[in-house]
Amino acid sequence: EDQVTQSPEALRLQEGESSSLNCSYTVSGLRGLFWYRQDPGKGPEFLFTLYSAGEEKEKERLKATLTKKESFLHITAPKPEDSATYLCALTNYGGSQGNLIFGKGTKLSVKP
Amino acid sequence: DTGVSQNPRHKITKRGQNVTFRCDPISEHNRLYWYRQTLGQGPEFLTYFQNEAQLEKSRLLSDRFSAERPKGSFSTLEIQRTEQGDSAMYLCASSWDRGYEQYFGPGTRLTVT
């Protein structure tokens, strides 16, 4: 069964303290791995798509990387406005017709 | 384009009542998905449409749930005889095609009392 596991469940950082969020996955055939940001009471906001091991994407203070077993979301010098829940999801080449399989998310809090 | 929109944003209903939610996807997107999210969990897939055809349903989608996408534009999700366990955030997403990123709406928060 395809599965996504995110760690840690929660992460508290001081402003400027860089860190990484982990997304480990098992999948029959990875079609794409996605990162989303979700603020309380809102829908997920798309951040990145990664398709193959070794691929990297960057946006402002965020950088996503992908290996054959896991993905990392690196946050460099975070600011309080980066506080949110970060969700990892994947799609596969198997039976599911492109629906996203999500992890439970990492809740990030950045204190000034 | 203003993105994916959903209405209503919040719905409070009594157990046993029927409710209907609406989703308007990004206009050029062919695929439309419905997900359900409970507190502390990631979204879980319910069903999806390719244009007007409903092509897949999750085991989570009981017989009390029905979804439509007439003319391949907006979609509705109806829950009949609501139960307290139906309380959740219902999210709609759309994408250009399979494997492409999905863009989510703001969600409809359902509370069943």
Side-chain angles (χ1 to χ4, degrees), chain B residues 4-41:
Chain B
V4 178
S5 62
Q6 292 185 247
N7 287 289
R9 295 293 312 278
H10 303 275
K11 179 70 176 179
I12 300 174
T13 191
K14 292 185 178 180
R15 188 176 55 186
Q17 297 294 306
N18 299 344
V19 294
T20 300
F21 310 141
R22 175 178 171 129
C23 170
D24 288 89
I26 294 171
S27 56
E28 62 266 27
H29 284 179
N30 297 319
R31 291 193 165 216
L32 186 148
Y33 300 82
W34 285 98
Y35 292 84
R36 181 170 68 187
Q37 186 177 27
T38 54
L39 197 63
Q41 303 294 315

PDB file of all heavy atoms in Angstrom, chain B residues 4-41:
ATOM      1  N   VAL B   4      -9.696  28.249  -7.366  1.00  0.00           N
ATOM      2  CA  VAL B   4     -10.808  27.366  -7.029  1.00  0.00           C
ATOM      3  C   VAL B   4     -11.651  28.027  -5.939  1.00  0.00           C
ATOM      4  O   VAL B   4     -11.097  28.507  -4.945  1.00  0.00           O
ATOM      5  CB  VAL B   4     -10.294  26.003  -6.542  1.00  0.00           C
ATOM      6  CG1 VAL B   4     -11.453  25.097  -6.154  1.00  0.00           C
ATOM      7  CG2 VAL B   4      -9.413  25.345  -7.613  1.00  0.00           C
ATOM      8  N   SER B   5     -12.953  28.040  -6.129  1.00  0.00           N
ATOM      9  CA  SER B   5     -13.831  28.601  -5.097  1.00  0.00           C
ATOM     10  C   SER B   5     -14.798  27.538  -4.593  1.00  0.00           C
ATOM     11  O   SER B   5     -15.163  26.613  -5.330  1.00  0.00           O
ATOM     12  CB  SER B   5     -14.596  29.819  -5.628  1.00  0.00           C
ATOM     13  OG  SER B   5     -15.430  29.449  -6.709  1.00  0.00           O
ATOM     14  N   GLN B   6     -15.195  27.673  -3.338  1.00  0.00           N
ATOM     15  CA  GLN B   6     -16.121  26.727  -2.721  1.00  0.00           C
ATOM     16  C   GLN B   6     -17.162  27.495  -1.915  1.00  0.00           C
ATOM     17  O   GLN B   6     -16.851  28.493  -1.276  1.00  0.00           O
ATOM     18  CB  GLN B   6     -15.383  25.747  -1.796  1.00  0.00           C
ATOM     19  CG  GLN B   6     -14.476  24.783  -2.531  1.00  0.00           C
ATOM     20  CD  GLN B   6     -13.865  23.754  -1.599  1.00  0.00           C
ATOM     21  OE1 GLN B   6     -12.661  23.753  -1.372  1.00  0.00           O
ATOM     22  NE2 GLN B   6     -14.707  22.853  -1.081  1.00  0.00           N
ATOM     23  N   ASN B   7     -18.377  26.973  -1.948  1.00  0.00           N
ATOM     24  CA  ASN B   7     -19.467  27.568  -1.169  1.00  0.00           C
ATOM     25  C   ASN B   7     -20.381  26.477  -0.617  1.00  0.00           C
ATOM     26  O   ASN B   7     -20.588  25.454  -1.275  1.00  0.00           O
ATOM     27  CB  ASN B   7     -20.294  28.499  -2.079  1.00  0.00           C
ATOM     28  CG  ASN B   7     -19.550  29.768  -2.385  1.00  0.00           C
ATOM     29  OD1 ASN B   7     -19.374  30.615  -1.514  1.00  0.00           O
ATOM     30  ND2 ASN B   7     -19.078  29.889  -3.612  1.00  0.00           N
ATOM     31  N   PRO B   8     -20.901  26.669   0.590  1.00  0.00           N
ATOM     32  CA  PRO B   8     -20.548  27.750   1.514  1.00  0.00           C
ATOM     33  C   PRO B   8     -19.187  27.504   2.154  1.00  0.00           C
ATOM     34  O   PRO B   8     -18.607  26.438   1.985  1.00  0.00           O
ATOM     35  CB  PRO B   8     -21.668  27.674   2.548  1.00  0.00           C
ATOM     36  CG  PRO B   8     -21.997  26.216   2.593  1.00  0.00           C
ATOM     37  CD  PRO B   8     -21.849  25.716   1.183  1.00  0.00           C
ATOM     38  N   ARG B   9     -18.666  28.437   2.886  1.00  0.00           N
ATOM     39  CA  ARG B   9     -17.416  28.239   3.611  1.00  0.00           C
ATOM     40  C   ARG B   9     -17.650  27.482   4.897  1.00  0.00           C
ATOM     41  O   ARG B   9     -16.788  26.716   5.344  1.00  0.00           O
ATOM     42  CB  ARG B   9     -16.766  29.583   3.908  1.00  0.00           C
ATOM     43  CG  ARG B   9     -16.324  30.339   2.664  1.00  0.00           C
ATOM     44  CD  ARG B   9     -15.163  29.621   1.949  1.00  0.00           C
ATOM     45  NE  ARG B   9     -14.103  29.243   2.867  1.00  0.00           N
ATOM     46  CZ  ARG B   9     -13.165  30.066   3.283  1.00  0.00           C
ATOM     47  NH1 ARG B   9     -13.134  31.315   2.868  1.00  0.00           N
ATOM     48  NH2 ARG B   9     -12.230  29.642   4.119  1.00  0.00           N
ATOM     49  N   HIS B  10     -18.802  27.699   5.494  1.00  0.00           N
ATOM     50  CA  HIS B  10     -19.142  27.016   6.739  1.00  0.00           C
ATOM     51  C   HIS B  10     -20.585  26.547   6.653  1.00  0.00           C
ATOM     52  O   HIS B  10     -21.433  27.239   6.091  1.00  0.00           O
ATOM     53  CB  HIS B  10     -18.989  27.941   7.947  1.00  0.00           C
ATOM     54  CG  HIS B  10     -17.627  28.527   8.094  1.00  0.00           C
ATOM     55  ND1 HIS B  10     -16.596  27.874   8.723  1.00  0.00           N
ATOM     56  CD2 HIS B  10     -17.109  29.701   7.655  1.00  0.00           C
ATOM     57  CE1 HIS B  10     -15.507  28.623   8.688  1.00  0.00           C
ATOM     58  NE2 HIS B  10     -15.789  29.731   8.049  1.00  0.00           N
ATOM     59  N   LYS B  11     -20.841  25.355   7.228  1.00  0.00           N
ATOM     60  CA  LYS B  11     -22.198  24.833   7.260  1.00  0.00           C
ATOM     61  C   LYS B  11     -22.398  24.091   8.570  1.00  0.00           C
ATOM     62  O   LYS B  11     -21.620  23.192   8.909  1.00  0.00           O
ATOM     63  CB  LYS B  11     -22.435  23.882   6.086  1.00  0.00           C
ATOM     64  CG  LYS B  11     -23.824  23.264   6.038  1.00  0.00           C
ATOM     65  CD  LYS B  11     -24.859  24.279   5.691  1.00  0.00           C
ATOM     66  CE  LYS B  11     -26.228  23.648   5.555  1.00  0.00           C
ATOM     67  NZ  LYS B  11     -27.273  24.670   5.219  1.00  0.00           N
ATOM     68  N   ILE B  12     -23.409  24.508   9.320  1.00  0.00           N
ATOM     69  CA  ILE B  12     -23.790  23.804  10.537  1.00  0.00           C
ATOM     70  C   ILE B  12     -25.148  23.176  10.287  1.00  0.00           C
ATOM     71  O   ILE B  12     -26.076  23.856   9.837  1.00  0.00           O
ATOM     72  CB  ILE B  12     -23.855  24.758  11.745  1.00  0.00           C
ATOM     73  CG1 ILE B  12     -22.493  25.401  11.980  1.00  0.00           C
ATOM     74  CG2 ILE B  12     -24.304  24.000  13.004  1.00  0.00           C
ATOM     75  CD1 ILE B  12     -22.484  26.472  13.057  1.00  0.00           C
ATOM     76  N   THR B  13     -25.278  21.891  10.535  1.00  0.00           N
ATOM     77  CA  THR B  13     -26.527  21.206  10.269  1.00  0.00           C
ATOM     78  C   THR B  13     -26.821  20.217  11.389  1.00  0.00           C
ATOM     79  O   THR B  13     -25.925  19.819  12.151  1.00  0.00           O
ATOM     80  CB  THR B  13     -26.468  20.473   8.919  1.00  0.00           C
ATOM     81  OG1 THR B  13     -27.771  20.027   8.557  1.00  0.00           O
ATOM     82  CG2 THR B  13     -25.547  19.255   8.990  1.00  0.00           C
ATOM     83  N   LYS B  14     -28.057  19.832  11.486  1.00  0.00           N
ATOM     84  CA  LYS B  14     -28.451  18.842  12.491  1.00  0.00           C
ATOM     85  C   LYS B  14     -28.338  17.450  11.893  1.00  0.00           C
ATOM     86  O   LYS B  14     -28.576  17.245  10.688  1.00  0.00           O
ATOM     87  CB  LYS B  14     -29.869  19.117  12.972  1.00  0.00           C
ATOM     88  CG  LYS B  14     -29.997  20.402  13.768  1.00  0.00           C
ATOM     89  CD  LYS B  14     -31.403  20.573  14.324  1.00  0.00           C
ATOM     90  CE  LYS B  14     -31.499  21.834  15.165  1.00  0.00           C
ATOM     91  NZ  LYS B  14     -32.862  22.041  15.716  1.00  0.00           N
ATOM     92  N   ARG B  15     -28.032  16.508  12.728  1.00  0.00           N
ATOM     93  CA  ARG B  15     -27.926  15.126  12.295  1.00  0.00           C
ATOM     94  C   ARG B  15     -29.199  14.689  11.571  1.00  0.00           C
ATOM     95  O   ARG B  15     -30.312  14.985  12.021  1.00  0.00           O
ATOM     96  CB  ARG B  15     -27.687  14.231  13.518  1.00  0.00           C
ATOM     97  CG  ARG B  15     -27.366  12.792  13.208  1.00  0.00           C
ATOM     98  CD  ARG B  15     -27.050  12.041  14.472  1.00  0.00           C
ATOM     99  NE  ARG B  15     -28.120  12.148  15.463  1.00  0.00           N
ATOM    100  CZ  ARG B  15     -28.042  11.685  16.696  1.00  0.00           C
ATOM    101  NH1 ARG B  15     -26.936  11.116  17.114  1.00  0.00           N
ATOM    102  NH2 ARG B  15     -29.053  11.814  17.530  1.00  0.00           N
ATOM    103  N   GLY B  16     -29.019  14.021  10.450  1.00  0.00           N
ATOM    104  CA  GLY B  16     -30.163  13.548   9.684  1.00  0.00           C
ATOM    105  C   GLY B  16     -30.556  14.449   8.527  1.00  0.00           C
ATOM    106  O   GLY B  16     -31.305  14.036   7.639  1.00  0.00           O
ATOM    107  N   GLN B  17     -30.053  15.685   8.523  1.00  0.00           N
ATOM    108  CA  GLN B  17     -30.365  16.616   7.437  1.00  0.00           C
ATOM    109  C   GLN B  17     -29.444  16.359   6.237  1.00  0.00           C
ATOM    110  O   GLN B  17     -28.370  15.774   6.370  1.00  0.00           O
ATOM    111  CB  GLN B  17     -30.208  18.057   7.912  1.00  0.00           C
ATOM    112  CG  GLN B  17     -31.153  18.446   9.036  1.00  0.00           C
ATOM    113  CD  GLN B  17     -32.595  18.436   8.580  1.00  0.00           C
ATOM    114  OE1 GLN B  17     -32.957  19.079   7.607  1.00  0.00           O
ATOM    115  NE2 GLN B  17     -33.436  17.687   9.287  1.00  0.00           N
ATOM    116  N   ASN B  18     -29.882  16.822   5.077  1.00  0.00           N
ATOM    117  CA  ASN B  18     -29.065  16.748   3.863  1.00  0.00           C
ATOM    118  C   ASN B  18     -28.348  18.071   3.657  1.00  0.00           C
ATOM    119  O   ASN B  18     -28.896  19.144   3.961  1.00  0.00           O
ATOM    120  CB  ASN B  18     -29.947  16.460   2.645  1.00  0.00           C
ATOM    121  CG  ASN B  18     -30.685  15.134   2.758  1.00  0.00           C
ATOM    122  OD1 ASN B  18     -30.337  14.289   3.570  1.00  0.00           O
ATOM    123  ND2 ASN B  18     -31.703  14.980   1.939  1.00  0.00           N
ATOM    124  N   VAL B  19     -27.125  17.998   3.134  1.00  0.00           N
ATOM    125  CA  VAL B  19     -26.366  19.211   2.822  1.00  0.00           C
ATOM    126  C   VAL B  19     -25.753  19.071   1.430  1.00  0.00           C
ATOM    127  O   VAL B  19     -25.471  17.954   0.974  1.00  0.00           O
ATOM    128  CB  VAL B  19     -25.240  19.480   3.849  1.00  0.00           C
ATOM    129  CG1 VAL B  19     -25.814  19.804   5.217  1.00  0.00           C
ATOM    130  CG2 VAL B  19     -24.275  18.324   3.930  1.00  0.00           C
ATOM    131  N   THR B  20     -25.543  20.210   0.787  1.00  0.00           N
ATOM    132  CA  THR B  20     -24.917  20.234  -0.543  1.00  0.00           C
ATOM    133  C   THR B  20     -23.862  21.317  -0.587  1.00  0.00           C
ATOM    134  O   THR B  20     -24.108  22.447  -0.142  1.00  0.00           O
ATOM    135  CB  THR B  20     -25.959  20.490  -1.640  1.00  0.00           C
ATOM    136  OG1 THR B  20     -26.942  19.457  -1.604  1.00  0.00           O
ATOM    137  CG2 THR B  20     -25.299  20.490  -3.009  1.00  0.00           C
ATOM    138  N   PHE B  21     -22.702  20.961  -1.119  1.00  0.00           N
ATOM    139  CA  PHE B  21     -21.601  21.905  -1.269  1.00  0.00           C
ATOM    140  C   PHE B  21     -21.321  22.097  -2.751  1.00  0.00           C
ATOM    141  O   PHE B  21     -21.486  21.179  -3.550  1.00  0.00           O
ATOM    142  CB  PHE B  21     -20.323  21.372  -0.599  1.00  0.00           C
ATOM    143  CG  PHE B  21     -20.502  20.883   0.804  1.00  0.00           C
ATOM    144  CD1 PHE B  21     -19.845  19.756   1.242  1.00  0.00           C
ATOM    145  CD2 PHE B  21     -21.344  21.555   1.686  1.00  0.00           C
ATOM    146  CE1 PHE B  21     -19.998  19.295   2.538  1.00  0.00           C
ATOM    147  CE2 PHE B  21     -21.508  21.100   2.984  1.00  0.00           C
ATOM    148  CZ  PHE B  21     -20.838  19.961   3.404  1.00  0.00           C
ATOM    149  N   ARG B  22     -20.807  23.271  -3.078  1.00  0.00           N
ATOM    150  CA  ARG B  22     -20.481  23.577  -4.471  1.00  0.00           C
ATOM    151  C   ARG B  22     -19.002  23.910  -4.611  1.00  0.00           C
ATOM    152  O   ARG B  22     -18.400  24.521  -3.732  1.00  0.00           O
ATOM    153  CB  ARG B  22     -21.316  24.753  -4.968  1.00  0.00           C
ATOM    154  CG  ARG B  22     -20.948  25.196  -6.379  1.00  0.00           C
ATOM    155  CD  ARG B  22     -21.808  26.310  -6.865  1.00  0.00           C
ATOM    156  NE  ARG B  22     -21.298  26.856  -8.118  1.00  0.00           N
ATOM    157  CZ  ARG B  22     -22.042  27.025  -9.201  1.00  0.00           C
ATOM    158  NH1 ARG B  22     -23.330  26.699  -9.201  1.00  0.00           N
ATOM    159  NH2 ARG B  22     -21.505  27.541 -10.304  1.00  0.00           N
ATOM    160  N   CYS B  23     -18.429  23.502  -5.746  1.00  0.00           N
ATOM    161  CA  CYS B  23     -17.042  23.813  -6.068  1.00  0.00           C
ATOM    162  C   CYS B  23     -16.973  24.332  -7.501  1.00  0.00           C
ATOM    163  O   CYS B  23     -17.493  23.704  -8.421  1.00  0.00           O
ATOM    164  CB  CYS B  23     -16.171  22.567  -5.943  1.00  0.00           C
ATOM    165  SG  CYS B  23     -14.491  22.780  -6.592  1.00  0.00           S
ATOM    166  N   ASP B  24     -16.306  25.469  -7.672  1.00  0.00           N
ATOM    167  CA  ASP B  24     -16.023  26.006  -9.010  1.00  0.00           C
ATOM    168  C   ASP B  24     -14.524  25.912  -9.245  1.00  0.00           C
ATOM    169  O   ASP B  24     -13.745  26.613  -8.583  1.00  0.00           O
ATOM    170  CB  ASP B  24     -16.499  27.457  -9.120  1.00  0.00           C
ATOM    171  CG  ASP B  24     -18.009  27.553  -9.171  1.00  0.00           C
ATOM    172  OD1 ASP B  24     -18.641  27.637  -8.095  1.00  0.00           O
ATOM    173  OD2 ASP B  24     -18.541  27.523 -10.286  1.00  0.00           O
ATOM    174  N   PRO B  25     -14.089  25.052 -10.176  1.00  0.00           N
ATOM    175  CA  PRO B  25     -12.655  24.849 -10.389  1.00  0.00           C
ATOM    176  C   PRO B  25     -12.055  25.964 -11.241  1.00  0.00           C
ATOM    177  O   PRO B  25     -12.772  26.842 -11.746  1.00  0.00           O
ATOM    178  CB  PRO B  25     -12.629  23.528 -11.157  1.00  0.00           C
ATOM    179  CG  PRO B  25     -13.897  23.548 -11.949  1.00  0.00           C
ATOM    180  CD  PRO B  25     -14.905  24.229 -11.064  1.00  0.00           C
ATOM    181  N   ILE B  26     -10.742  25.917 -11.409  1.00  0.00           N
ATOM    182  CA  ILE B  26     -10.064  26.798 -12.358  1.00  0.00           C
ATOM    183  C   ILE B  26     -10.570  26.434 -13.752  1.00  0.00           C
ATOM    184  O   ILE B  26     -10.628  25.249 -14.105  1.00  0.00           O
ATOM    185  CB  ILE B  26      -8.538  26.640 -12.235  1.00  0.00           C
ATOM    186  CG1 ILE B  26      -8.092  27.159 -10.857  1.00  0.00           C
ATOM    187  CG2 ILE B  26      -7.814  27.368 -13.359  1.00  0.00           C
ATOM    188  CD1 ILE B  26      -6.651  26.880 -10.511  1.00  0.00           C
ATOM    189  N   SER B  27     -10.932  27.421 -14.534  1.00  0.00           N
ATOM    190  CA  SER B  27     -11.741  27.202 -15.732  1.00  0.00           C
ATOM    191  C   SER B  27     -11.107  26.257 -16.757  1.00  0.00           C
ATOM    192  O   SER B  27     -11.794  25.465 -17.378  1.00  0.00           O
ATOM    193  CB  SER B  27     -12.070  28.536 -16.397  1.00  0.00           C
ATOM    194  OG  SER B  27     -10.885  29.239 -16.691  1.00  0.00           O
ATOM    195  N   GLU B  28      -9.802  26.291 -16.936  1.00  0.00           N
ATOM    196  CA  GLU B  28      -9.205  25.452 -17.974  1.00  0.00           C
ATOM    197  C   GLU B  28      -8.825  24.053 -17.489  1.00  0.00           C
ATOM    198  O   GLU B  28      -8.285  23.249 -18.248  1.00  0.00           O
ATOM    199  CB  GLU B  28      -7.962  26.138 -18.565  1.00  0.00           C
ATOM    200  CG  GLU B  28      -6.844  26.383 -17.573  1.00  0.00           C
ATOM    201  CD  GLU B  28      -6.908  27.774 -16.947  1.00  0.00           C
ATOM    202  OE1 GLU B  28      -8.023  28.340 -16.864  1.00  0.00           O
ATOM    203  OE2 GLU B  28      -5.856  28.288 -16.539  1.00  0.00           O
ATOM    204  N   HIS B  29      -9.112  23.744 -16.227  1.00  0.00           N
ATOM    205  CA  HIS B  29      -8.750  22.443 -15.659  1.00  0.00           C
ATOM    206  C   HIS B  29      -9.798  21.377 -15.988  1.00  0.00           C
ATOM    207  O   HIS B  29     -10.998  21.599 -15.841  1.00  0.00           O
ATOM    208  CB  HIS B  29      -8.581  22.549 -14.147  1.00  0.00           C
ATOM    209  CG  HIS B  29      -7.302  23.202 -13.743  1.00  0.00           C
ATOM    210  ND1 HIS B  29      -6.964  23.425 -12.418  1.00  0.00           N
ATOM    211  CD2 HIS B  29      -6.268  23.674 -14.473  1.00  0.00           C
ATOM    212  CE1 HIS B  29      -5.780  23.996 -12.368  1.00  0.00           C
ATOM    213  NE2 HIS B  29      -5.339  24.165 -13.603  1.00  0.00           N
ATOM    214  N   ASN B  30      -9.308  20.203 -16.419  1.00  0.00           N
ATOM    215  CA  ASN B  30     -10.207  19.119 -16.778  1.00  0.00           C
ATOM    216  C   ASN B  30     -10.605  18.267 -15.580  1.00  0.00           C
ATOM    217  O   ASN B  30     -11.661  17.669 -15.556  1.00  0.00           O
ATOM    218  CB  ASN B  30      -9.540  18.206 -17.825  1.00  0.00           C
ATOM    219  CG  ASN B  30      -9.252  18.940 -19.106  1.00  0.00           C
ATOM    220  OD1 ASN B  30     -10.064  19.722 -19.574  1.00  0.00           O
ATOM    221  ND2 ASN B  30      -8.077  18.702 -19.674  1.00  0.00           N
ATOM    222  N   ARG B  31      -9.700  18.173 -14.620  1.00  0.00           N
ATOM    223  CA  ARG B  31      -9.917  17.256 -13.509  1.00  0.00           C
ATOM    224  C   ARG B  31     -10.365  18.012 -12.267  1.00  0.00           C
ATOM    225  O   ARG B  31      -9.849  19.095 -11.963  1.00  0.00           O
ATOM    226  CB  ARG B  31      -8.643  16.479 -13.206  1.00  0.00           C
ATOM    227  CG  ARG B  31      -8.299  15.490 -14.307  1.00  0.00           C
ATOM    228  CD  ARG B  31      -7.235  14.524 -13.864  1.00  0.00           C
ATOM    229  NE  ARG B  31      -7.182  13.378 -14.776  1.00  0.00           N
ATOM    230  CZ  ARG B  31      -6.929  12.151 -14.384  1.00  0.00           C
ATOM    231  NH1 ARG B  31      -6.711  11.883 -13.123  1.00  0.00           N
ATOM    232  NH2 ARG B  31      -6.887  11.157 -15.262  1.00  0.00           N
ATOM    233  N   LEU B  32     -11.302  17.409 -11.552  1.00  0.00           N
ATOM    234  CA  LEU B  32     -11.813  17.991 -10.316  1.00  0.00           C
ATOM    235  C   LEU B  32     -11.863  16.895  -9.258  1.00  0.00           C
ATOM    236  O   LEU B  32     -12.362  15.794  -9.523  1.00  0.00           O
ATOM    237  CB  LEU B  32     -13.202  18.589 -10.538  1.00  0.00           C
ATOM    238  CG  LEU B  32     -13.822  19.362  -9.381  1.00  0.00           C
ATOM    239  CD1 LEU B  32     -14.723  20.487  -9.903  1.00  0.00           C
ATOM    240  CD2 LEU B  32     -14.581  18.484  -8.420  1.00  0.00           C
ATOM    241  N   TYR B  33     -11.333  17.201  -8.090  1.00  0.00           N
ATOM    242  CA  TYR B  33     -11.224  16.218  -7.014  1.00  0.00           C
ATOM    243  C   TYR B  33     -11.953  16.731  -5.770  1.00  0.00           C
ATOM    244  O   TYR B  33     -11.956  17.930  -5.492  1.00  0.00           O
ATOM    245  CB  TYR B  33      -9.760  16.006  -6.625  1.00  0.00           C
ATOM    246  CG  TYR B  33      -8.867  15.507  -7.729  1.00  0.00           C
ATOM    247  CD1 TYR B  33      -8.339  16.386  -8.662  1.00  0.00           C
ATOM    248  CD2 TYR B  33      -8.522  14.167  -7.814  1.00  0.00           C
ATOM    249  CE1 TYR B  33      -7.504  15.937  -9.668  1.00  0.00           C
ATOM    250  CE2 TYR B  33      -7.675  13.709  -8.819  1.00  0.00           C
ATOM    251  CZ  TYR B  33      -7.175  14.602  -9.743  1.00  0.00           C
ATOM    252  OH  TYR B  33      -6.341  14.148 -10.730  1.00  0.00           O
ATOM    253  N   TRP B  34     -12.498  15.798  -4.989  1.00  0.00           N
ATOM    254  CA  TRP B  34     -13.034  16.096  -3.665  1.00  0.00           C
ATOM    255  C   TRP B  34     -12.222  15.317  -2.631  1.00  0.00           C
ATOM    256  O   TRP B  34     -11.936  14.112  -2.824  1.00  0.00           O
ATOM    257  CB  TRP B  34     -14.505  15.701  -3.555  1.00  0.00           C
ATOM    258  CG  TRP B  34     -15.456  16.620  -4.249  1.00  0.00           C
ATOM    259  CD1 TRP B  34     -16.017  16.460  -5.482  1.00  0.00           C
ATOM    260  CD2 TRP B  34     -15.978  17.848  -3.728  1.00  0.00           C
ATOM    261  NE1 TRP B  34     -16.862  17.511  -5.759  1.00  0.00           N
ATOM    262  CE2 TRP B  34     -16.852  18.373  -4.701  1.00  0.00           C
ATOM    263  CE3 TRP B  34     -15.806  18.559  -2.533  1.00  0.00           C
ATOM    264  CZ2 TRP B  34     -17.544  19.580  -4.523  1.00  0.00           C
ATOM    265  CZ3 TRP B  34     -16.497  19.742  -2.361  1.00  0.00           C
ATOM    266  CH2 TRP B  34     -17.352  20.240  -3.349  1.00  0.00           C
ATOM    267  N   TYR B  35     -11.870  16.022  -1.547  1.00  0.00           N
ATOM    268  CA  TYR B  35     -11.146  15.424  -0.433  1.00  0.00           C
ATOM    269  C   TYR B  35     -11.877  15.789   0.858  1.00  0.00           C
ATOM    270  O   TYR B  35     -12.609  16.774   0.937  1.00  0.00           O
ATOM    271  CB  TYR B  35      -9.721  15.976  -0.341  1.00  0.00           C
ATOM    272  CG  TYR B  35      -8.796  15.585  -1.462  1.00  0.00           C
ATOM    273  CD1 TYR B  35      -8.787  16.303  -2.650  1.00  0.00           C
ATOM    274  CD2 TYR B  35      -7.907  14.516  -1.326  1.00  0.00           C
ATOM    275  CE1 TYR B  35      -7.930  15.957  -3.690  1.00  0.00           C
ATOM    276  CE2 TYR B  35      -7.039  14.161  -2.359  1.00  0.00           C
ATOM    277  CZ  TYR B  35      -7.063  14.894  -3.536  1.00  0.00           C
ATOM    278  OH  TYR B  35      -6.205  14.537  -4.550  1.00  0.00           O
ATOM    279  N   ARG B  36     -11.600  15.014   1.897  1.00  0.00           N
ATOM    280  CA  ARG B  36     -12.112  15.319   3.232  1.00  0.00           C
ATOM    281  C   ARG B  36     -10.920  15.365   4.186  1.00  0.00           C
ATOM    282  O   ARG B  36     -10.022  14.514   4.113  1.00  0.00           O
ATOM    283  CB  ARG B  36     -13.112  14.258   3.689  1.00  0.00           C
ATOM    284  CG  ARG B  36     -13.701  14.509   5.064  1.00  0.00           C
ATOM    285  CD  ARG B  36     -14.842  13.568   5.344  1.00  0.00           C
ATOM    286  NE  ARG B  36     -14.401  12.187   5.490  1.00  0.00           N
ATOM    287  CZ  ARG B  36     -15.235  11.153   5.600  1.00  0.00           C
ATOM    288  NH1 ARG B  36     -16.538  11.351   5.559  1.00  0.00           N
ATOM    289  NH2 ARG B  36     -14.763   9.938   5.747  1.00  0.00           N
ATOM    290  N   GLN B  37     -10.942  16.356   5.081  1.00  0.00           N
ATOM    291  CA  GLN B  37      -9.847  16.511   6.045  1.00  0.00           C
ATOM    292  C   GLN B  37     -10.397  16.692   7.443  1.00  0.00           C
ATOM    293  O   GLN B  37     -11.232  17.570   7.674  1.00  0.00           O
ATOM    294  CB  GLN B  37      -8.963  17.706   5.667  1.00  0.00           C
ATOM    295  CG  GLN B  37      -7.717  17.834   6.541  1.00  0.00           C
ATOM    296  CD  GLN B  37      -6.818  18.976   6.094  1.00  0.00           C
ATOM    297  OE1 GLN B  37      -7.267  19.949   5.511  1.00  0.00           O
ATOM    298  NE2 GLN B  37      -5.520  18.865   6.372  1.00  0.00           N
ATOM    299  N   THR B  38      -9.930  15.865   8.372  1.00  0.00           N
ATOM    300  CA  THR B  38     -10.280  16.016   9.774  1.00  0.00           C
ATOM    301  C   THR B  38      -9.070  16.550  10.528  1.00  0.00           C
ATOM    302  O   THR B  38      -7.934  16.522  10.029  1.00  0.00           O
ATOM    303  CB  THR B  38     -10.753  14.692  10.385  1.00  0.00           C
ATOM    304  OG1 THR B  38      -9.761  13.691  10.141  1.00  0.00           O
ATOM    305  CG2 THR B  38     -12.063  14.240   9.751  1.00  0.00           C
ATOM    306  N   LEU B  39      -9.299  17.021  11.729  1.00  0.00           N
ATOM    307  CA  LEU B  39      -8.278  17.709  12.507  1.00  0.00           C
ATOM    308  C   LEU B  39      -7.045  16.839  12.709  1.00  0.00           C
ATOM    309  O   LEU B  39      -7.140  15.692  13.139  1.00  0.00           O
ATOM    310  CB  LEU B  39      -8.867  18.132  13.856  1.00  0.00           C
ATOM    311  CG  LEU B  39      -8.092  19.195  14.613  1.00  0.00           C
ATOM    312  CD1 LEU B  39      -8.050  20.492  13.827  1.00  0.00           C
ATOM    313  CD2 LEU B  39      -8.708  19.419  15.997  1.00  0.00           C
ATOM    314  N   GLY B  40      -5.889  17.380  12.368  1.00  0.00           N
ATOM    315  CA  GLY B  40      -4.634  16.680  12.591  1.00  0.00           C
ATOM    316  C   GLY B  40      -4.283  15.650  11.531  1.00  0.00           C
ATOM    317  O   GLY B  40      -3.281  14.941  11.668  1.00  0.00           O
ATOM    318  N   GLN B  41      -5.113  15.577  10.497  1.00  0.00           N
ATOM    319  CA  GLN B  41      -4.877  14.608   9.423  1.00  0.00           C
ATOM    320  C   GLN B  41      -4.658  15.332   8.099  1.00  0.00           C
ATOM    321  O   GLN B  41      -5.085  16.469   7.925  1.00  0.00           O
ATOM    322  CB  GLN B  41      -6.075  13.663   9.281  1.00  0.00           C
ATOM    323  CG  GLN B  41      -6.435  12.901  10.545  1.00  0.00           C
ATOM    324  CD  GLN B  41      -5.365  11.932  10.959  1.00  0.00           C
ATOM    325  OE1 GLN B  41      -4.815  11.192  10.133  1.00  0.00           O
ATOM    326  NE2 GLN B  41      -5.034  11.925  12.247  1.00  0.00           N
TER     327      GLN B  41
END
